[in-house]
Amino acid sequence: MQHKHITFIGAGNMAGSIISGLVKDGYPADYICASAPSTANTEKLAQQFAIKTSQNNAQAVNTSDVVVLGVKPQMMADVCQALADQGCDFSNKLVISIAAGISVQRLQSLLGENTAIIRTMPNTPSLLQKGMTGLFASQQVNEEDKKFAGELMTAVGETVWVEDEAMINAVIAASGSAPAYFFLFMESMQNKAIEMGFSAEQARLLVLQSALGSAEMVKQNPDIELSTLRKNVTSKGGTTAEAINTFQQLGLPATVEKAMQAAADRGADMEKLF
Ligand SMILES: NC(=O)c1ccc[n+]([C@@H]2O[C@H](COP(=O)([O-])OP(=O)(O)OC[C@H]3O[C@@H](n4cnc5c(N)ncnc54)[C@H](OP(=O)(O)O)[C@@H]3O)[C@@H](O)[C@H]2O)c1
């Protein structure tokens, strides 16, 4: 990975995870700066990873090649406006946003119409370097910067590029919000296992290990369709078949489809809020 001076605006959970991933991958810590209003998070990151810190966003931006916008979506407009008001020039910088619900057009209206912007949508397991990130590049982004942003987000997991910005909302539906879908499914299974007589701890372990093992089987068999994996463990007339038939009769596939569409629609609506 090429070494560029990166400034993170925001030093919270997600910025910290990306920084952690980068430093673990051997990225030079003195090329990384985190800027936030208070010192609590920045000092912690400096102690852990020996990165530079700042309490002055504009100064930190001015000494960087790449700016990662890692503040909460509702803060983003104020933070970007303040940078613009302080004369920050983004014409030769790459801006990477990790905030949900803020369009490229909105960021360009704040930072400059021709700013090279990459919009990313990571999910929460990125905090454990097991994330899934969708990325979209504005037309001002060159191939070198695209490669750099892809490698940056690879520090916290896997990446998928989308060619159309609207597809970022599909990323939200398929991976951004997905951890909560799995938590709900696991929670429902755990509750039933407890009702069947297991302790909460045993029920959690039964569900967790089954989820981990199933995900690992999917990962280790990239050429086998998910439906085949399912059929392979579903003997006709057996116990699994009873459960799967029940899920299907009660409309699980259609429910999943509707839920994912609702997430994508909400993503599109949120773009109008900020
Ligand atoms: N966490 C996730 O799982 C997740 C997943 C996908 C996307 N994201 C996106 O990642 C972004 C950050 O989320 P997070 O969970 O990392 O948030 P977080 O832990 O709450 O961190 C927010 C950071 O923003 C800083 N901040 C607030 N006002 C600022 C300002 N004016 N200038 C500079 N920094 C400022 C805070 O400063 P202090 O340190 O001084 O408090 C804090 O370091 C959000 O846009 C979110 O949508 C997060």
Side-chain angles (χ1 to χ4, degrees):
M1 185 175 180
Q2 213 184 337
H3 296 161
K4 295 174 183 253
H5 289 279
I6 311 172
T7 282
F8 287 80
I9 301 297
N13 293 314
M14 192 53 81
S17 300
I18 300 172
I19 291 167
S20 165
L22 284 173
V23 173
K24 276 185 200 151
D25 286 350
Y27 201 90
D30 59 345
Y31 274 60
I32 302 173
C33 175
S35 179
S38 79
T39 55
N41 283 316
T42 53
E43 266 179 17
K44 204 171 71 187
L45 291 174
Q47 275 166 12
Q48 265 183 301
F49 305 114
I51 61 160
K52 294 181 186 165
T53 64
S54 172
Q55 265 62 58
N56 183 323
N57 291 344
Q59 257 175 29
V61 162
N62 287 338
T63 56
S64 66
D65 308 307
V66 177
V67 177
V68 180
L69 298 172
V71 297
K72 291 285 185 195
Q74 57 272 26
M75 300 288 308
M76 191 64 93
D78 286 350
V79 167
C80 290
Q81 192 62 57
L83 291 173
D85 291 347
Q86 288 169 82
C88 290
D89 176 9
F90 289 91
S91 56
N92 285 317
K93 297 188 198 301
L94 170 65
V95 175
I96 301 174
S97 166
I98 59 173
I102 308 200
S103 68
V104 162
Q105 194 190 20
R106 178 74 179 124
L107 289 170
Q108 286 178 330
S109 76
L110 293 159
L111 301 175
E113 290 305 328
N114 279 318
T115 308
I117 293 184
I118 292 184
R119 186 176 162 193
T120 74
M121 185 62 227
N123 66 5
T124 306
S126 304
L127 304 179
L128 312 172
Q129 266 93 49
K130 298 265 182 203
M132 182 68 236
T133 301
L135 302 99
F136 168 78
S138 74
Q139 60 183 21
Q140 292 81 6
V141 178
N142 60 34
E143 281 308 310
E144 181 192 304
D145 282 345
K146 253 185 102 168
K147 184 167 180 281
F148 183 85
E151 287 169 344
L152 182 98
M153 295 316 290
T154 301
V156 288
E158 302 283 342
T159 57
V160 161
W161 284 92
V162 296
E163 295 299 321
D164 174 1
E165 188 174 1
M167 283 294 287
I168 282 286
N169 293 321
V171 169
I172 291 176
S175 62
S177 300
Y181 315 161
F182 291 111
F183 296 151
L184 175 64
F185 199 84
M186 291 168 79
E187 182 190 335
S188 305
M189 284 181 67
Q190 185 193 28
N191 288 342
K192 184 62 187 170
I194 291 169
E195 197 189 301
M196 286 171 151
F198 292 105
S199 68
E201 201 185 334
Q202 287 172 322
R204 188 180 169 111
L205 179 64
L206 287 162
V207 173
L208 164 67
Q209 190 58 18
S210 304
L212 277 176
S214 308
E216 197 56 40
M217 281 186 75
V218 174
K219 195 171 176 183
Q220 288 191 19
N221 293 287
D223 299 329
I224 304 183
E225 293 289 343
L226 291 173
S227 57
T228 306
L229 286 172
R230 170 172 57 78
K231 284 174 194 153
N232 287 349
V233 293
T234 312
S235 325
K236 226 176 163 185
T239 56
T240 309
E242 278 304 308
I244 296 294
N245 286 343
T246 307
F247 282 136
Q248 277 169 341
Q249 275 162 17
L250 293 175
L252 183 69
T255 305
V256 170
E257 218 175 277
K258 276 199 185 129
M260 286 178 66
Q261 191 59 53
D265 292 348
R266 178 68 185 141
D269 283 349
M270 280 173 65
E271 283 177 16
K272 295 172 200 143
L273 291 180
F274 307 115

